[in-house]
Amino acid sequence: MQSTGTRNPATTPTHCPYCALQCGMNLTPVEGGTVEVSDRADFPVNRGALCGKGRTAAQVLAPGARLTSPLVRAADGTLAPAGWDEALDRIARNLGRTRAQYGADALGVFGGGGLTNEKAYALGKFARVVLGTSQIDYNGRFCMSSAAAAGTRAFGLDRGLPFPLEDIPRTGCVILVGSNPAETMPPSLRYFTELRENGGTLIVVDPRRTKTAEQADLHLAPRPGTDLALALGMLHLVVAEGRVDEAYVEERTSGWEEARAAAMAHWPEHVERITGVSVPELREAVRLFCAPEAAMVLTARGPEQQAKGTDTVGAWINLCLATGRAGRPWSGYGCLTGQGNGQGGREHGQKADQLPGYRKLTDPAARRHVAEVWGVDPDSLPGPGRSAYELLDALGTDIRSLLVMGSNPVVSAPRAAHVEGRLRSLDFLAVCDVVLSETAELADVVLPVTQWAEETGTTTNLEGRVLLRRRAISPPEGVRGDLEVLHGLAGRLGVEKGFPVDPEEVFEELRRASAGGPADYSGIDYRRLARENGVFWPCPAQPAADDTHTAAPGTGSSGSSTDASTGRGTRTATGNGGTTSTGSGSTDAGSGSTDADAGLRAAPHPGTPRLFLDRFATDDGRARFAPVAHRPSAEEPDDAYPVLLTTGRVVAQYQSGAQTRRVTELNAAAPGPFVELHPRLAARLGAAEGDPLAVVSRRGRAVAPARITTAIRPDTVFMPFHWPGEGRANTLTNPALDPASRMPEFKVCAVRVEVARRPSPDEVAR
């Protein structure tokens, strides 16, 4: 628990900087000039619980753990401290030189899913208005882009969860596919525990018997890369056993006959051969899912980070639609977003094909609307650019200079050694970060920027709940905010206006830019967020006198009251016999403030915690089945590479580890990478616990100690991806892209495994 600079005299309620739960926490100055993180029981998502990462988050505020001065590449090749003017001048000069010599699209911008909505919005605007480049994307492309593509295709709208987390204990069955919340977002595990306490069942689909799978009523362990076949096999049984909700399918969906025909080609014995999941297990999963009145399917990176991730998620959505489990109370498909602002980060313009409000960059009406807010000609806005990996792959050739904000692709990108080489080949690289990450170490200029406790801004959690992070302390001298960076660069590149440094001013512009879009934030302002503990989008602005609480098209109405003492919404009748509520924390939704500049009033619209209860967000209001069929992974095992590799996270580290690896307690719990393998595979290799194992793919080699366990399939090894260097898991991963989402296939590739070397007797003795 550390902080620096001038401190506020009172406790500040804010949110964790890590995962998409965005857990509530309090920061309090204590004697000795430190800041203490404590629980915040009033926030309904985590109800006071914090994981180890959240509890220790303040340690990264310490000057010894983070950057406190700009760094520039000196003549001798080292990074040396510099003043802000020198650093910003150098960045602007190099970006301008590249644009003049090679054109605007020779400039690249790479953002992050941890940036606040204000920063993501300003970064997208900066790329398109100041630089004039189409080459912008962000690391959220590596997070839930396949789920977003599948959700948009099926429902007409993508939001991680179309219902609050509090709905999970109220349903009858949850199928959790490729997710391990016990380690990736521990405070959320209580919802699944409460589900079972209430008599519901939990099915976990994962090739490993994780801590989450240990708590399941049924654990299915498919071969990595076969989740699509598993979902199709379950749908086949739904049809064969007469479990289709024919009335629902007729009334609320389209495309069933084509999807049904595709599923019927995946009979149980065929699926068993593909997946390794037995026919009795398949039948039991279908029985558990179909028995209760309500059920959910929740996916995470397991099925999504595949070259067929969009179709895989589409198959799980098909299962929900065929059984009438979408757009009904306590039912539906949802995605458990990973990054802290992975949802909001792509809604407001740092994704290659999107404008603020989740508008499509190719939509003329969307371009006109946003261009008017920005005060530019719609024709001046560039079109869609490359997706994240494609952008990184083009560095040093088509893209000559790059600005990185809040990302560490040297560790987090697939085929990471290649990406590192591409970064080294750039004419110029600038990085804005809190710490000297592995990517920042390659930069020509590094800018030290503020972090969560030192700045105010909004994030959007996995439920679509827009939240206000509050500034609790001042940053160290020499550190500036990302908005200040963009303001300074814009001015030096000839754009004097349009890039304010005040986050609330940026948010007011974001409201106007999002108004009328799928992700409409226009009815939300800072005071409302502080008062209501968050507001679910879409939340359009309405005149204060209008108390109809009409929801945005395709969302279902949402006009109930909230019991503030419990944080649970009061159930209210809606269309289609459903129920909804304003959701936890959404009290006093009818009051608001006036934004005279924008002409918008903070409206009585209560926000939309539950989507699709009346209709889906498609043109005809119907959900669309996806006619999908199983296909192999982009890279299947062979004689040279006979084992499957899958990757993931551990509880004590986060993403590329750039921040968590600087926390003593977390490093003690998870000090480095490892290779998890089954005893049968270890026996074939002659490997013992702790032996250094070399894992080799067609892209490179990683070495880490063996961790032998029966909790993984014998044909599969697992590596966490938080570390750089010799044990970097993403050296191995395959950048094969999903054709719709452009998601790389992180979750499955072919490798061979061998003992790297035996420790000497002296090493053993030490």
Side-chain angles (χ1 to χ4, degrees):
M1 50 183 185
Q2 301 90 7
S3 73
T4 60
T6 304
R7 293 161 184 82
N8 296 331
T11 293
T12 301
T14 189
H15 295 274
C16 180
Y18 292 117
C19 82
L21 289 180
Q22 288 297 279
C23 291
M25 59 170 55
N26 287 318
L27 295 182
T28 307
V30 296
E31 186 177 355
T34 62
V35 166
E36 181 179 59
V37 173
S38 60
D39 62 272
R40 180 181 160 198
D42 71 305
F43 187 61
V45 171
N46 61 308
R47 307 178 212 163
L50 291 171
C51 73
K53 295 185 290 292
R55 285 188 294 98
T56 60
Q59 291 188 25
V60 188
L61 300 171
R66 48 94 61 85
L67 295 168
T68 56
S69 170
L71 303 173
V72 299
R73 188 72 60 184
D76 64 0
T78 62
L79 284 171
W84 271 93
D85 284 341
E86 178 186 352
L88 291 172
D89 286 346
R90 185 178 291 201
I91 295 173
R93 184 169 60 251
N94 279 278
L95 295 180
R97 181 184 297 136
T98 296
R99 182 170 59 185
Q101 186 170 356
Y102 299 104
D105 274 356
L107 300 174
V109 177
F110 199 83
L115 300 180
T116 63
N117 290 318
E118 292 80 359
K119 293 192 229 179
Y121 172 85
L123 187 63
K125 181 181 179 182
F126 176 82
R128 295 178 174 106
V129 173
V130 177
L131 301 181
T133 183
S134 66
Q135 301 304 303
I136 174 172
D137 210 72
Y138 82 128
N139 62 17
R141 178 79 69 169
F142 300 157
C143 179
M144 56 176 287
S145 57
S146 292
T152 301
R153 183 172 66 184
F155 307 128
L157 182 69
D158 155 56
R159 195 180 80 186
L161 292 179
F163 40 72
L165 282 163
E166 67 177 30
D167 283 5
I168 291 173
R170 306 180 187 185
T171 194
C173 178
V174 171
I175 302 179
L176 194 57
V177 189
S179 177
N180 182 18
E183 296 202 65
T184 59
M185 45 181 67
S188 72
L189 193 64
R190 67 173 58 190
Y191 293 102
F192 301 99
T193 301
E194 290 171 9
L195 164 73
R196 300 186 70 212
E197 290 172 348
N198 291 343
T201 55
L202 176 63
I203 302 170
V204 171
V205 179
D206 198 305
R208 304 166 63 222
R209 188 164 182 81
T210 63
K211 292 181 180 179
T212 305
E214 288 174 354
Q215 302 191 33
D217 297 280
L218 178 64
H219 172 215
L220 306 179
R223 182 175 178 268
T226 64
D227 309 86
L228 176 52
L230 182 67
L232 289 166
M234 290 183 65
L235 183 54
H236 177 107
L237 286 172
V238 165
V239 175
E241 295 175 1
R243 299 180 184 271
V244 176
D245 188 334
E246 301 285 359
Y248 174 94
V249 169
E250 176 66 24
E251 180 184 355
R252 300 202 62 188
T253 72
S254 62
W256 168 233
E257 289 305 320
E258 294 85 352
R260 178 185 180 279
M264 297 315 288
H266 297 77
W267 60 96
E269 292 77 11
H270 178 52
V271 169
E272 181 181 65
R273 287 193 293 273
I274 294 172
T275 65
V277 176
S278 70
V279 172
E281 288 176 313
L282 281 172
R283 293 189 184 278
E284 178 66 1
V286 170
R287 185 190 70 79
L288 291 174
F289 184 68
C290 294
E293 183 178 349
M296 298 174 179
V297 172
L298 305 178
T299 67
R301 306 301 80 76
E304 297 162 17
Q305 288 182 327
Q306 299 183 28
K308 53 180 180 292
T310 301
D311 285 354
T312 301
V313 173
W316 289 106
I317 292 174
N318 286 352
L319 183 66
C320 290
L321 295 177
T323 54
R325 309 303 179 87
R328 283 179 167 174
W330 327 135
S331 287
Y333 163 77
C335 167
L336 298 177
T337 313
Q339 294 193 79
N341 198 32
Q343 182 70 49
R346 70 178 181 282
E347 291 169 6
H348 298 300
Q350 65 171 333
K351 191 163 173 277
D353 58 349
Q354 286 176 190
L355 288 169
Y358 230 149
R359 289 181 159 93
K360 285 293 183 185
L361 193 52
T362 53
D363 178 2
R367 294 169 67 88
R368 286 193 301 271
H369 175 87
V370 174
E372 182 177 357
V373 173
W374 287 352
V376 300
D377 184 341
D379 292 338
S380 71
L381 297 177
R386 293 174 172 89
S387 70
Y389 178 76
E390 291 167 304
L391 188 158
L392 295 171
D393 190 42
L395 299 180
T397 53
D398 294 339
I399 299 173
R400 309 300 293 259
S401 294
L402 180 69
L403 172 65
V404 176
M405 188 172 282
S407 187
N408 188 18
V410 166
V411 179
S412 63
R415 198 185 174 197
H418 171 75
V419 168
E420 181 178 345
R422 293 289 85 214
L423 285 160
R424 291 181 183 277
S425 72
L426 284 164
D427 294 346
F428 181 78
L429 172 63
V431 174
C432 305
D433 211 330
V434 173
V435 298
L436 190 65
S437 69
E438 288 72 25
T439 302
E441 289 176 351
L442 305 181
D444 298 285
V445 178
V446 183
L447 300 180
V449 292
T450 53
Q451 49 182 314
W452 60 289
E454 302 162 347
E455 59 187 12
T456 294
T458 62
T459 61
T460 305
N461 81 344
L462 76 170
E463 307 165 298
R465 189 193 303 250
V466 185
L467 304 166
L468 182 64
R469 280 190 193 163
R470 298 165 176 88
R471 174 171 167 158
I473 57 173
S474 297
E477 184 178 354
V479 174
R480 296 184 183 180
D482 293 283
L483 295 178
E484 293 178 88
V485 170
L486 295 175
H487 173 85
L489 291 176
R492 285 168 170 79
L493 290 165
V495 179
E496 300 293 339
K497 296 181 179 180
F499 290 88
V501 300
D502 176 20
E504 188 169 9
E505 187 176 347
V506 176
F507 189 80
E508 289 302 313
E509 184 178 303
L510 181 157
R511 292 176 63 203
R512 300 197 299 274
S514 74
D520 191 335
Y521 284 30
S522 60
I524 305 172
D525 65 21
Y526 272 27
R527 279 169 284 187
R528 183 175 178 187
L529 291 175
R531 184 175 62 247
E532 299 178 25
N533 236 343
V535 178
F536 293 86
W537 71 261
C539 184
Q542 299 174 22
D546 180 358
D547 60 358
T548 60
H549 294 183
T550 302
T555 62
S557 60
S558 183
S560 65
S561 63
T562 295
D563 178 354
S565 67
T566 64
R568 292 189 180 272
T570 304
R571 295 176 62 175
T572 303
T574 66
N576 298 313
T579 60
T580 187
S581 75
T582 55
S584 50
S586 297
T587 58
D588 192 20
S591 62
S593 59
T594 300
D595 173 13
D597 177 63
L600 298 172
R601 300 182 69 181
H605 192 289
T608 315
R610 296 173 180 86
L611 299 173
F612 315 137
L613 293 179
D614 298 320
R615 69 191 306 274
F616 295 98
T618 55
D619 291 341
D620 59 6
R622 292 172 171 268
R624 294 184 170 87
F625 281 94
V628 297
H630 174 72
R631 59 184 184 272
S633 298
E635 187 176 78
E636 292 287 338
D638 56 22
D639 290 343
Y641 301 94
V643 177
L644 291 167
L645 167 71
T646 192
T647 63
R649 287 169 49 189
V650 296
V651 66
Q653 301 289 353
Y654 180 73
Q655 304 300 74
S656 74
Q659 295 187 47
T660 52
R661 284 187 275 112
R662 287 165 168 80
V663 176
T664 302
E665 178 182 327
L666 300 179
N667 275 335
F674 57 86
V675 180
E676 186 177 278
L677 73 165
H678 192 276
R680 295 209 312 250
L681 178 56
R684 288 203 302 272
L685 298 172
E689 180 76 13
D691 279 356
L693 294 183
V695 184
V696 184
S697 77
R698 290 176 173 85
R699 289 153 296 280
R701 180 178 188 265
V703 178
R707 183 173 293 182
I708 301 172
T709 174
T710 57
I712 192 167
R713 292 173 55 96
D715 58 2
T716 301
V717 295
F718 167 83
M719 290 188 71
F721 57 75
H722 309 290
W723 290 274
E726 186 180 47
R728 180 174 58 186
N730 277 321
T731 296
L732 309 168
T733 50
N734 191 353
L737 301 180
D738 180 287
S741 68
R742 316 308 288 168
M743 167 75 84
E745 192 157 67
F746 286 99
K747 285 301 180 192
V748 54
C749 69
V751 297
R752 69 173 180 268
V753 185
E754 53 203 22
V755 177
R757 64 178 180 84
R758 294 288 184 191
S760 68
D762 289 343
E763 289 174 317
V764 172
R766 288 199 298 269

